[in-house]
Amino acid sequence: MEEGQSFTDEQCSVHRGVLHVWSGACSESLAPERVLLSRPVLQVSLGACHALLLAEGGLVFSVGELPWRTGLAVPLSQPLLEHSLNDVTVVLVSAGSFHCGALTEEGAVYMWGENSAGQCGALGTEGSDRVVTGPKRVAPHLVSEPQLLSVVDRERVPPARVRVRALACGGEHTLALSAQHEVWSWGSGYQLGLVTSTFPVWRPQKVEHLSGRHVIQVACGSSHSLALVRSQPPKDYTTQASSSSSGSRCGQCQKTDQEDSVVMNDSHYCPLGVELVQAGGSPRSGRTRPSRGPVLLQESGDSVPSLDNEVWSWGRGQEGQLGHGDRLPRLQPLCIKSLTGQEVVGLATGTHHSLAVTAQCQVFSWGSNISGQLGRLNSPTTQPQQAKVGEGVRVWGVSGGLGHSLFLADGDHLQPVLWHCGPKVTQGSEVNHAQGSANRKDAFRAVVLPLSVELGYVSEVCGGGQGWAALSDHNIMGFISALHQLAANERRVYCWVSDVRKKVLRPLLNRESVCSLLGQTCRRLFETLAESFTRLSLLIGQHSVSLTNFLRRTQHRDVTSLFLLTHTSLFLDTYKEYCSSIGNFQVMGGFQNLQKLSLECFGKKQEVLLTLSAPSGPDRQAVPDLLLSLFHQPLHSLPQYSTLLLRLATCYDVSTREYQLLQQGCAQYDALSLGLSRRRKEAEATWLFWKTSSGKSVDPLRSPERRVVCESSNRTLTLQNAGRFSNVWFLLFNDALVQAQLSGYQTFPLATLWVRPVTEDDSGLHAIKVTLPEQSFILTASSAEEKARWLRALNLAVEQVLEGGQGSGVPAVSRSASYTFRVEGRLKDARYSGGWVAGKPHGRGTMKWADGRTYVGTFRNGLEDGYGDCVIPTKVLNQPDRYLGNWREAKIHGFGIYRYASGEVYEGCFHEGQRHGYGMLCSGRLGKSSSSVFIGQWVQDRKTGYGVFDDITKGEKYMGAWLEDQRQGLAVVVTQFGLYYQGAFSSNKMTGAGILVSDDDTSFQGEFSDDWTINGKGTLVMPNGDHIEGQFSGQWSSGLKIVGTYTKPSVEEPDGRPRALTLAVRGLAVQVEQKWRCVFEECWSRLGCDALGQGDRRRAWENIAVILTSGRRDSPKLSHSQSKILERLEFIPQEVGPMTTSSYHELRRYLTKACETPLHPLGWLLETLVTVYRMTYACETPLHPLGWLLETLVTVYRMTYACETPLHPLGWLLETLVTVYRMTYVGVGCNRRLLPQAVQEIHSYLTHTFSILRFLFPGLPEEGGFIPNTRPTSDLSVDTSSGTHQDSSNHGYVVSSSSLLLPVLLPPLYPPLFTLYALEKEKEERLYWECVLRLNKQTDQALLSFLGVQQKFWPVTISVLGEMKRVESSTRDLCYSSSVETLQQISTTFTPSDKLLVIQRTFRELSQEVQVAMEGMDDLLPPFLYVVIRARIRNLGAEVSLIEDLMDSSVQLGELGFLFTTLKGSYYQIQQETA
């Protein structure tokens, strides 16, 4: 043998496939002949005078008379190989009377033999379609060689080939069972089941009458057909009332309509609740037959056999072989009603008779009985009746021939035996036919064939004509005997449980006195016991049928596919449920209460119970003990399971998969057997306890599921310091510890009970400490042995409750459980479900208070601590408050979102229950009279520090300092009407020096008083530059009183604006360093730093990892990709010295990933600052009041509800920066005069965020530092992935905050920022665009000439879509098209570095087109000006200003800086061009 081969691979061909054949009548001298082949025989099928053998490897052999081959006769000793089938793998063969069929593993059908009736499906004589691929005919009605037959479903579009899974051949017809469990037929006669009178049928056609049904097996007689069909579920008829769904009960059965009714009498119908509704809608009365029982498994495939089957028959019925009680033919399949409910699992046909075997090992026969082949004498033979086999014989295989039948049954030993029904030959006499026999009863009685012993372990029998065949297996290493023993035991048990259901359960449940004698509780428990017994019996029946099919399997027997192994969990659950139902009934005294009912039903002798009970035990048992023993009988199968699985495992090498699975199954069933034995003992002990303790104060504790584990009525366990006269004793149940005394008892659930031994001291006390959620106490045992016994019992009971199985006896300190608090305090009457540690809520959980409060989140040491969701009902409003965020020691602490019942929403930081730090408060809703948004700093629940207040109703936005909810300090106010205020506020009023600018650029600088009232000295500047200096008083909107001097602008001041006004504007705004300090303080706080940059770096990284881990756990809506990103961000980088270019790239990648999620502190910071920026300065639709109002509300809504669980500190930072930026510059804040502040804020963001990065990555150089290059030379020049320019001469990077952070920060800020630039450059843009439109009207050559481009640079030919075109005088928009398209990409980028790279690529494209090197820039200036004009870039002035304000200072003096200066000069030159 080769090393590593399993038993199945080595010996499969040896232990199976022994074929014995014999013929003639039954006699004592009958000698079977063994067929010798070089390969094992897997299947045999007999025809009238021939046989087909299927050997290992898919080879097919023929023996007997083969008339389709010119009368060839093949002896049994020399089978003929069908060479035509050598190229396919045959898995099944079928022999008809004079034709043959073979089925391949691909589901293809091959036919040959007699074809006069079309039974081979060959070409007909009437021009039918050719369905056999060119059969080579010896005669017109013969097919000599196997030919492929196409079974095609032509109803489908396009037609599809049907995959066949089973094949059966009859006299003049053939049936095929498809993989979709549909029946197809061809040939001649009524037995086809087709709606036609034209025969033969050459092409396979579907039997439409069986469409939509699940056909399991087909069988063919000479002129009739049978099908085993899975019963369909009962139809869901419309009911007049819903009483069945609500559990209505009838007075007789007292069972709900949905409960199992297998245990009920077949003649009993529940009269309640079901009235079928006809089409007209009127109910018609009628009884509905209850279902035959619950379907244990949903059979989605053939691995789970069905017991609820029907038998359908059709064809000729002159001998009664159809089983419908008459001898009429049936053209269509018809169900045999008398077999419905008999659990038929197998069919067989003789020439003119039919056989059916049931799961209860009974045989039903009908049809011709001329030779006694039905195995019974009683009439009629036109209906199925049970064959007379020996008493207690269990038949599991049947087959029929011309005038006889053969049954395969369990023997007295492990080896099966054969029973014969048909002609018999006695010694010295001829064949004894039924008609002429003197002893008629003996002629019709089934007899055992004496040759059974010689055949060995027979797995299948087959009959046909006058011959018989049996397939048997060699019992190598006890493998086959173990399988047969397992199957025989399971069949025996199922027959026994079926008898118990019929003879015990149904009679008892159908007694009218069942309710009065058992009582309400015991009756319900007895019904539950009956239902679980029925489920167990059905499982055993399915298992027995599965084992029978496994033994008869024609292909490789894979022991790992045993039903016992593939459905282990189902067996374990069913047996546990059944054992629990017995124990529950026993604990409540059900078997004692059942005694009277049993005597009433079975009489005093109880012969039925004695007959069904096991022979072992006392000769005379009491009725309760007899019933208890009877119901415990099925549990004895479990040890047999483990024993036989172990026997099978010994047949395999220990390294094989089969051995491992068998050993695992053996261990599982062993553990189940031991566990159920322990449960049985617990139930018995509990019954004895309640029997002796009846009438005491603990009687209310009695329940069916409760078991007694220990009790201390003998004072083996007492309370410490209980006193001499204390009468306290303890009961340990399987679900609770009970402290009982005369006056009552107290129950402690085991799920929330912790025990530990107390170390013994000199006092000699044997103590055990018990910890509970609201108390703890110490128990003292009478001895060390009692202490150990109680301690182990308590631990095992707790572990059983927590884990559901017996383990090490040391329950986990951390667990999940539910508990209701009772003691006065904060948690009184609160219900908690979740994690526990040592008696306190710890971990994830849910707390529900009696007043309606609910908290779902993290607990620590009994307090809300961590991330949680809390709902707080309000008495005044119908809506509750809701907080979603962080907690500390039962107080709101950290970042979160608070939604008030009034409609306000606060998103920000809390400190000990108060708003403190950065936060955003949204008040009111769209359409309300008080809609507003505040974002900024809070101190002790009040607005204090810098903040932005957007009064949506008034259309005003305040950006400045606050003190205790009042505007106090420097600030800027903008309105929806374009007014711009800047100055100092005091107590919510603008007083002192200030600036006011209107939308038309009229401005005032001077003194203010009483909130927007001008009063004092000042200067009023007109849009044309005229200004008035003097005394002013009044309101800006209602008119001003002026006493002063009017002045026209001088030549030295062409813009008309005094220098003092510009300086004053800069001095009256809040310094950028003071803005949003609370955001960065929160980010530092999340990193664990007390002050900016002051903290332990290692601790900061640990905090980041903790934030990400807990955030991933608390955020179930994260996608798979987001979870993976967070996992990669959880690592803590190691300090490896100075930063190199490689580590710099790693830093950029880390920053990109961190800022993709608002969970990282930096990500949150950047997001928040961007939002603040956009709120202050941006507006997508600034011209219409509804536009900015809607935009602001959408922004508020998005920022309030979009990111509810920020996790990574960097991601949180980015999210927060986005929030504050948008809240500052979106909507009313979209004012061009705020552009300088908006740009300064971005620089501030960069500075603060860069300091955080340098803290986290100490190797990062300071601003302007240099990182030497470590990458290959080929990677130098420009790093386009990051937008960072790399000087090839220096071979390294110049570090700057803008190059590192702008690629992450600027994209979300770009829309509001660019809008401000566009508004600021609006006048210049208007002039620029007019010039661009005017110049673009010219042709290419005219424009080149106008711009002074040298003619040697004019393109002569241009490639357009791969085709060269000549530039003519009328050509337009073709010259330098590649450069033009490149420059147009500047509008699609965000960062200045990306825009500079676009300019650089444009110059390179242009230099290639004009064939001038980049060094000769003077020659490129006119062509570049042409490219700028043809690019038609809108808002080019805004693009230029944005690049100039935000570009990296390290590139200003380099190549990129020079190219940018060229673009800037081109922009201003275009404005000055004239036609």
Side-chain angles (χ1 to χ4, degrees):
M1 299 181 189
E2 295 182 5
E3 184 179 358
Q5 276 190 313
S6 66
F7 162 77
T8 303
D9 297 329
E10 295 173 353
Q11 300 173 347
C12 178
S13 60
V14 179
H15 74 74
R16 64 178 308 186
V18 182
L19 176 61
H20 295 84
V21 179
W22 69 97
S23 62
C26 177
S27 65
E28 296 179 358
S29 60
L30 192 63
E33 180 180 357
R34 179 174 176 178
V35 179
L36 298 177
L37 281 178
S38 59
R39 296 170 178 263
V41 179
L42 304 181
Q43 188 210 346
V44 61
S45 181
L46 303 182
C49 301
H50 72 288
L52 292 179
L53 311 180
L54 175 61
E56 190 176 55
L59 301 181
V60 179
F61 295 85
S62 298
V63 296
E65 299 179 6
L66 310 178
W68 50 89
R69 290 186 175 168
T70 63
L72 179 64
V74 180
L76 194 61
S77 59
Q78 297 178 346
L80 175 65
L81 176 63
E82 298 290 350
H83 292 282
S84 301
L85 297 174
N86 287 351
D87 295 335
V88 296
T89 302
V90 178
V91 295
L92 184 142
V93 294
S94 178
S97 296
F98 297 100
H99 70 290
C100 309
L103 179 66
T104 69
E105 62 182 356
E106 291 83 13
V109 177
Y110 286 81
M111 302 296 300
W112 69 101
E114 174 69 37
N115 197 30
S116 58
Q119 57 265 51
C120 288
L123 180 64
T125 58
E126 302 298 329
S128 302
D129 295 341
R130 179 179 294 272
V131 292
V132 176
T133 58
K136 180 181 178 181
R137 301 189 178 196
V138 178
H141 62 280
L142 298 178
V143 180
S144 60
E145 296 291 339
Q147 300 292 337
L148 177 64
L149 174 65
S150 298
V151 183
V152 179
D153 188 354
R154 290 176 169 80
E155 294 180 357
R156 299 180 59 181
V157 179
R161 187 181 73 88
V162 176
R163 183 184 179 92
V164 178
R165 65 188 303 270
L167 193 67
C169 297
E172 295 183 342
H173 72 294
T174 305
L175 298 180
L177 180 62
S178 72
Q180 288 74 34
H181 299 276
E182 297 174 331
V183 180
W184 296 73
S185 64
W186 59 95
S188 299
Y190 293 159
Q191 59 269 27
L192 296 184
L194 303 176
V195 185
T196 181
S197 59
T198 303
F199 301 110
V201 175
W202 300 99
R203 188 169 59 191
Q205 296 187 21
K206 186 190 299 184
V207 180
E208 296 292 347
H209 203 67
L210 291 176
S211 295
R213 295 183 177 271
H214 187 105
V215 181
I216 302 172
Q217 180 192 354
V218 290
C220 293
S222 176
S223 57
H224 72 288
S225 303
L226 298 179
L228 184 64
V229 182
R230 182 173 296 169
S231 297
Q232 292 182 333
K235 295 182 179 179
D236 185 16
Y237 292 105
T238 305
T239 57
Q240 186 180 24
S242 59
S243 57
S244 61
S245 61
S246 60
S248 61
R249 303 173 183 267
C250 71
Q252 182 175 358
C253 66
Q254 294 295 322
K255 293 170 65 67
T256 63
D257 296 335
Q258 297 177 352
E259 291 177 322
D260 172 40
S261 57
V262 169
V263 296
M264 299 170 59
N265 194 312
D266 289 339
S267 62
H268 172 67
Y269 298 90
C270 186
L272 285 183
V274 178
E275 290 185 359
L276 302 182
V277 178
Q278 298 176 348
S282 60
R284 58 181 177 91
S285 61
R287 294 179 176 179
T288 59
R289 185 182 181 90
S291 63
R292 290 182 296 277
V295 178
L296 188 62
L297 285 177
Q298 297 294 332
E299 297 96 351
S300 59
D302 298 322
S303 61
V304 180
S306 171
L307 303 185
D308 190 11
N309 303 321
E310 300 170 346
V311 179
W312 293 61
S313 64
W314 63 99
R316 298 190 180 275
Q318 68 275 14
E319 299 292 340
Q321 63 265 46
L322 299 186
H324 301 300
D326 54 38
R327 301 181 186 274
L328 300 175
R330 298 292 193 279
L331 189 63
Q332 295 289 327
L334 183 64
C335 179
I336 304 177
K337 295 299 183 181
S338 59
L339 289 178
T340 302
Q342 296 295 338
E343 298 181 350
V344 177
V345 294
L347 298 175
T349 56
T351 304
H352 297 296
H353 71 286
S354 305
L355 303 170
V357 62
T358 69
Q360 300 176 28
C361 300
Q362 298 171 342
V363 178
F364 288 85
S365 59
W366 62 98
S368 175
N369 199 24
I370 189 171
S371 301
Q373 59 263 45
L374 298 186
R376 58 184 173 88
L377 180 61
N378 55 326
S379 296
T381 61
T382 57
Q383 287 185 344
Q385 292 191 19
Q386 189 172 342
K388 303 299 180 183
V389 194
E391 183 70 24
V393 176
R394 296 182 296 277
V395 179
W396 51 277
V398 294
S399 184
L402 178 61
H404 47 267
S405 302
L406 199 63
F407 302 157
L408 182 59
D410 293 327
D412 295 335
H413 303 287
L414 297 180
Q415 190 170 315
V417 296
L418 300 179
W419 289 72
H420 178 270
C421 302
K424 303 175 182 62
V425 176
T426 58
Q427 189 172 2
S429 65
E430 298 296 331
V431 176
N432 188 7
H433 289 284
Q435 290 89 337
S437 175
N439 192 345
R440 187 174 180 84
K441 292 185 178 179
D442 291 341
F444 285 88
R445 181 171 53 86
V447 297
V448 179
L449 290 180
L451 54 83
S452 299
V453 179
E454 305 175 13
L455 300 180
Y457 289 92
V458 179
S459 60
E460 187 176 5
V461 293
C462 180
Q466 297 289 343
W468 293 103
L471 276 174
S472 60
D473 303 317
H474 287 302
N475 185 28
I476 298 177
M477 299 178 66
F479 181 80
I480 294 299
S481 62
L483 287 176
H484 277 274
Q485 182 179 357
L486 181 61
N489 288 341
E490 207 69 349
R491 287 190 288 264
R492 175 184 55 81
V493 173
Y494 184 63
C495 292
W496 181 86
V497 296
S498 298
D499 288 341
V500 173
R501 287 165 55 193
K502 295 176 183 176
K503 300 176 181 180
V504 178
L505 285 179
R506 286 180 181 174
L508 289 176
L509 281 173
N510 287 337
R511 301 294 296 184
E512 295 182 356
S513 57
V514 62
C515 292
S516 59
L517 294 179
L518 290 183
Q520 184 69 19
T521 301
C522 286
R523 179 197 57 78
R524 178 177 54 82
L525 293 175
F526 185 55
E527 289 177 353
T528 304
L529 173 59
E531 293 171 5
S532 60
F533 184 89
T534 301
R535 282 190 286 270
L536 178 61
S537 66
L538 292 179
L539 176 63
I540 295 172
Q542 288 178 312
H543 185 212
S544 67
V545 175
S546 175
L547 288 171
T548 301
N549 296 337
F550 184 84
L551 288 172
R552 296 159 60 180
R553 190 169 296 171
T554 60
Q555 298 306 308
H556 177 63
R557 293 173 181 162
D558 183 8
V559 73
T560 61
S561 65
L562 283 174
F563 193 78
L564 202 61
L565 298 179
T566 57
H567 296 78
T568 302
S569 59
L570 177 64
F571 276 88
L572 301 183
D573 295 341
T574 306
Y575 272 99
K576 288 178 182 178
E577 177 192 6
Y578 176 65
C579 185
S580 297
S581 64
I582 296 177
N584 295 343
F585 190 59
Q586 181 184 5
V587 164
M588 301 305 292
F591 289 103
Q592 281 65 29
N593 296 340
L594 199 61
Q595 180 174 1
K596 287 185 179 181
L597 187 64
S598 178
L599 292 174
E600 180 183 307
C601 189
F602 305 119
K604 294 183 178 180
K605 295 184 178 181
Q606 301 290 304
E607 294 179 356
V608 174
L609 299 182
L610 292 173
T611 303
L612 293 172
S613 298
S616 60
D619 295 338
R620 197 66 182 173
Q621 289 181 302
V623 174
D625 296 336
L626 194 61
L627 289 169
L628 181 61
S629 175
L630 185 72
F631 283 103
H632 274 136
Q633 192 68 25
L635 301 179
H636 297 166
S637 298
L638 290 174
Q640 297 177 7
Y641 289 164
S642 57
T643 301
L644 292 174
L645 288 178
L646 184 59
R647 282 183 56 188
L648 292 174
T650 57
C651 300
Y652 293 89
D653 187 83
V654 294
S655 62
T656 59
R657 175 174 175 266
E658 290 84 355
Y659 179 86
Q660 301 295 334
L661 289 177
L662 289 169
Q663 278 285 20
Q664 180 182 355
C666 176
Q668 288 178 310
Y669 287 107
D670 259 337
L672 177 63
S673 179
L674 293 176
L676 297 187
S677 177
R678 189 186 73 253
R679 290 190 183 187
R680 180 177 177 180
K681 293 178 182 179
E682 290 177 354
E684 180 68 25
T686 304
W687 156 243
L688 293 177
F689 172 79
W690 292 122
K691 183 178 180 181
T692 57
S693 303
S694 179
K696 294 188 177 180
S697 59
V698 293
D699 264 0
L701 294 173
R702 188 174 185 178
S703 66
E705 294 80 13
R706 181 163 284 170
R707 304 289 185 267
V708 175
V709 180
C710 286
E711 57 94 15
S712 65
S713 58
N714 54 359
R715 299 184 65 83
T716 57
L717 190 72
T718 59
L719 274 175
Q720 187 181 30
N721 303 324
R724 292 180 56 189
F725 302 101
S726 174
N727 194 21
V728 177
W729 56 302
F730 288 90
L731 286 170
L732 177 59
F733 293 102
N734 60 337
D735 62 339
L737 176 66
V738 177
Q739 177 184 339
Q741 52 190 356
L742 294 179
S743 58
Y745 59 87
Q746 190 174 1
T747 304
F748 308 112
L750 294 182
T752 53
L753 183 143
W754 287 259
V755 294
R756 65 176 181 85
V758 178
T759 305
E760 298 181 8
D761 51 16
D762 297 336
S763 61
L765 292 177
H766 309 292
I768 301 173
K769 183 175 182 180
V770 178
T771 303
L772 300 165
E774 297 180 278
Q775 62 176 311
S776 61
F777 50 83
I778 295 179
L779 305 176
T780 57
S782 58
S783 63
E785 292 77 11
E786 284 295 324
K787 174 183 176 181
R789 184 174 74 89
W790 272 92
L791 187 61
R792 176 167 176 77
L794 284 166
N795 282 327
L796 284 176
V798 173
E799 187 180 33
Q800 178 73 23
V801 169
L802 296 178
E803 302 177 8
Q806 187 173 1
S808 60
V810 182
V813 177
S814 177
R815 63 188 65 164
S816 294
S818 298
Y819 182 80
T820 301
F821 292 85
R822 302 299 182 190
V823 178
E824 289 289 340
R826 187 177 67 92
L827 300 178
K828 179 175 172 54
D829 296 331
R831 176 73 174 176
Y832 174 74
S833 299
W836 296 79
V837 171
K840 293 183 178 180
H842 193 94
R844 294 283 300 175
T846 301
M847 184 77 74
K848 295 182 179 180
W849 281 265
D851 60 359
R853 285 180 297 158
T854 302
Y855 173 85
V856 180
T858 307
F859 290 80
R860 184 175 287 108
N861 295 326
L863 300 175
E864 301 92 315
D865 198 305
Y867 189 82
D869 184 357
C870 184
V871 177
I872 307 170
T874 57
K875 296 181 179 179
V876 179
L877 302 175
N878 294 328
Q879 296 294 329
D881 291 347
R882 182 179 181 182
Y883 172 73
L884 185 67
N886 293 297
W887 296 68
R888 182 195 291 178
E889 296 180 357
K891 294 182 179 180
I892 298 175
H893 190 97
F895 192 86
I897 299 176
Y898 201 114
R899 296 184 175 90
Y900 298 90
S902 59
E904 293 184 331
V905 179
Y906 174 82
E907 178 182 2
C909 303
F910 291 84
H911 181 79
E912 294 186 354
Q914 293 183 327
R915 294 171 289 195
H916 191 90
Y918 159 76
M920 178 172 64
L921 177 65
C922 303
S923 302
R925 300 175 182 174
L926 185 63
K928 297 288 184 179
S929 59
S930 59
S931 299
S932 62
V933 179
F934 172 81
I935 184 168
Q937 186 171 1
W938 299 72
V939 176
Q940 295 182 357
D941 223 24
R942 294 176 180 269
K943 306 179 188 77
T944 300
Y946 180 78
V948 176
F949 181 77
D950 189 355
D951 192 333
I952 300 174
T953 305
K954 294 182 178 180
E956 296 178 356
K957 180 172 291 188
Y958 173 88
M959 297 167 280
W962 295 75
L963 181 64
E964 295 185 354
D965 282 341
Q966 291 187 335
R967 307 176 188 185
Q968 187 79 19
L970 298 178
V972 171
V973 177
V974 292
T975 71
Q976 61 178 327
F977 305 107
L979 294 180
Y980 175 92
Y981 299 89
Q982 182 174 324
F985 281 74
S986 177
S987 300
N988 277 334
K989 297 180 180 181
M990 182 177 178
T991 58
I995 302 292
L996 187 153
V997 184
S998 67
D999 191 40
D1000 62 351
D1001 287 339
T1002 302
S1003 62
F1004 172 80
Q1005 177 185 4
E1007 298 293 331
F1008 290 82
S1009 65
D1010 196 17
D1011 199 10
W1012 315 118
T1013 300
I1014 299 176
N1015 190 7
K1017 293 182 179 181
T1019 301
L1020 180 66
V1021 182
M1022 308 298 178
N1024 60 357
D1026 298 352
H1027 58 275
I1028 302 174
E1029 295 183 8
Q1031 292 285 340
F1032 294 81
S1033 64
Q1035 293 284 344
W1036 181 269
S1037 58
S1038 59
L1040 295 176
K1041 294 181 180 181
I1042 305 173
V1043 178
T1045 304
Y1046 177 83
T1047 307
K1048 296 287 288 185
S1050 62
V1051 180
E1052 290 76 10
E1053 295 177 342
D1055 59 348
R1057 181 183 298 273
R1059 183 178 303 273
L1061 178 60
T1062 304
L1063 297 177
V1065 170
R1066 295 179 181 178
L1068 294 177
V1070 178
Q1071 297 298 317
V1072 68
E1073 294 80 9
Q1074 302 298 323
K1075 296 181 178 181
W1076 311 120
R1077 292 183 57 183
C1078 57
V1079 174
F1080 294 100
E1081 289 174 356
E1082 173 64 19
C1083 185
W1084 285 110
S1085 175
R1086 294 193 178 197
L1087 295 175
C1089 299
D1090 298 331
L1092 304 183
Q1094 298 180 8
D1096 183 23
R1097 183 176 299 103
R1098 187 74 182 179
R1099 181 187 172 192
W1101 281 109
E1102 291 175 353
N1103 287 344
I1104 291 176
V1106 170
I1107 290 172
L1108 294 179
T1109 303
S1110 59
R1112 225 165 19 99
R1113 179 194 62 208
D1114 298 330
S1115 301
K1117 295 183 179 180
L1118 290 177
S1119 64
H1120 179 72
S1121 59
Q1122 290 173 329
S1123 299
K1124 288 297 183 183
I1125 291 176
L1126 292 180
E1127 289 179 9
R1128 292 193 292 268
L1129 291 175
E1130 288 176 9
F1131 78 95
I1132 300 177
Q1134 303 296 326
E1135 298 182 17
V1136 292
M1139 183 165 289
T1140 62
T1141 54
S1142 299
S1143 57
Y1144 185 65
H1145 284 295
E1146 291 295 331
L1147 168 60
R1148 287 208 310 268
R1149 280 193 288 267
Y1150 179 88
L1151 182 62
T1152 302
K1153 293 177 182 177
C1155 293
E1156 286 178 358
T1157 169
L1159 311 180
H1160 196 290
L1162 282 180
W1164 173 90
L1165 178 62
L1166 295 177
E1167 181 77 11
T1168 304
L1169 292 178
V1170 168
T1171 305
V1172 170
Y1173 189 102
R1174 300 183 72 174
M1175 177 186 175
T1176 308
Y1177 298 110
C1179 179
E1180 278 71 19
T1181 55
L1183 302 180
H1184 197 285
L1186 287 179
W1188 61 255
L1189 176 62
L1190 182 60
E1191 165 66 18
T1192 304
L1193 291 177
V1194 169
T1195 302
V1196 171
Y1197 183 88
R1198 172 182 175 273
M1199 302 318 302
T1200 304
Y1201 298 101
C1203 303
E1204 295 186 350
T1205 56
L1207 299 181
H1208 197 294
L1210 290 177
W1212 177 88
L1213 180 63
L1214 175 62
E1215 180 190 65
T1216 309
L1217 291 177
V1218 171
T1219 303
V1220 298
Y1221 201 92
R1222 284 186 61 91
M1223 294 301 297
T1224 306
Y1225 301 112
V1226 167
V1228 179
C1230 183
N1231 193 305
R1232 57 189 174 87
R1233 297 171 184 85
L1234 295 176
L1235 177 61
Q1237 299 181 36
V1239 176
Q1240 292 174 7
E1241 279 198 31
I1242 290 182
H1243 285 292
S1244 175
Y1245 297 167
L1246 297 177
T1247 302
H1248 287 286
T1249 308
F1250 188 72
S1251 64
I1252 296 176
L1253 283 180
R1254 291 203 64 212
F1255 172 76
L1256 293 175
F1257 300 92
L1260 182 64
E1262 61 184 4
E1263 184 82 22
F1266 181 74
I1267 298 178
N1269 182 59
T1270 58
R1271 295 195 298 176
T1273 308
S1274 59
D1275 293 340
L1276 299 178
S1277 72
V1278 177
D1279 186 353
T1280 58
S1281 63
S1282 64
T1284 303
H1285 178 68
Q1286 181 176 339
D1287 192 342
S1288 59
S1289 61
N1290 293 330
H1291 301 286
Y1293 287 112
V1294 176
V1295 177
S1296 66
S1297 58
S1298 59
S1299 63
L1300 185 61
L1301 294 174
L1302 278 182
V1304 178
L1305 175 64
L1306 195 56
L1309 299 180
Y1310 190 81
L1313 176 63
F1314 192 78
T1315 302
L1316 291 177
Y1317 274 110
L1319 293 175
E1320 177 67 19
K1321 298 293 182 179
E1322 187 175 4
K1323 293 182 179 179
E1324 293 182 2
E1325 173 66 21
R1326 188 180 301 112
L1327 179 61
Y1328 155 78
W1329 191 244
E1330 290 176 356
C1331 294
V1332 167
L1333 294 179
R1334 184 176 65 253
L1335 293 174
N1336 271 288
K1337 295 178 180 180
Q1338 303 183 43
T1339 62
D1340 288 349
Q1341 292 184 356
L1343 184 58
L1344 290 172
S1345 177
F1346 175 78
L1347 296 177
V1349 179
Q1350 302 180 35
Q1351 289 193 0
K1352 65 178 180 179
F1353 298 143
W1354 290 16
V1356 178
T1357 57
I1358 299 295
S1359 175
V1360 179
L1361 298 177
E1363 180 182 355
M1364 300 303 296
K1365 291 187 176 181
R1366 185 175 182 84
V1367 178
E1368 304 291 346
S1369 59
S1370 60
T1371 302
R1372 183 175 300 183
D1373 292 334
L1374 288 182
C1375 295
Y1376 311 138
S1377 58
S1378 177
S1379 302
V1380 171
E1381 292 175 359
T1382 303
L1383 185 60
Q1384 288 173 342
Q1385 297 175 10
I1386 196 172
S1387 300
T1388 64
T1389 57
F1390 298 107
T1391 64
S1393 57
D1394 291 338
K1395 295 179 184 294
L1396 290 175
L1397 291 177
V1398 171
I1399 300 173
Q1400 185 185 51
R1401 289 198 300 270
T1402 303
F1403 270 99
R1404 289 182 176 177
E1405 290 280 350
L1406 186 60
S1407 64
Q1408 292 178 2
E1409 290 183 310
V1410 301
Q1411 298 180 354
V1412 174
M1414 288 284 290
E1415 290 77 7
M1417 294 298 298
D1418 293 340
D1419 294 334
L1420 285 177
L1421 291 180
F1424 181 72
L1425 184 60
Y1426 170 87
V1427 170
V1428 174
I1429 294 173
R1430 285 302 195 207
R1432 300 177 180 88
I1433 301 173
R1434 295 297 301 263
N1435 297 312
L1436 181 59
E1439 300 278 5
V1440 170
S1441 299
L1442 186 147
I1443 297 173
E1444 187 175 22
D1445 289 342
L1446 298 178
M1447 67 184 300
D1448 192 352
S1449 59
S1450 62
V1451 300
Q1452 290 181 358
L1453 301 179
E1455 176 189 343
L1456 294 179
F1458 177 75
L1459 298 179
F1460 167 70
T1461 304
T1462 304
L1463 176 65
K1464 181 180 178 181
S1466 300
Y1467 168 72
Y1468 287 111
Q1469 183 176 350
I1470 290 173
Q1471 299 179 43
Q1472 299 174 4
E1473 293 290 349
T1474 58

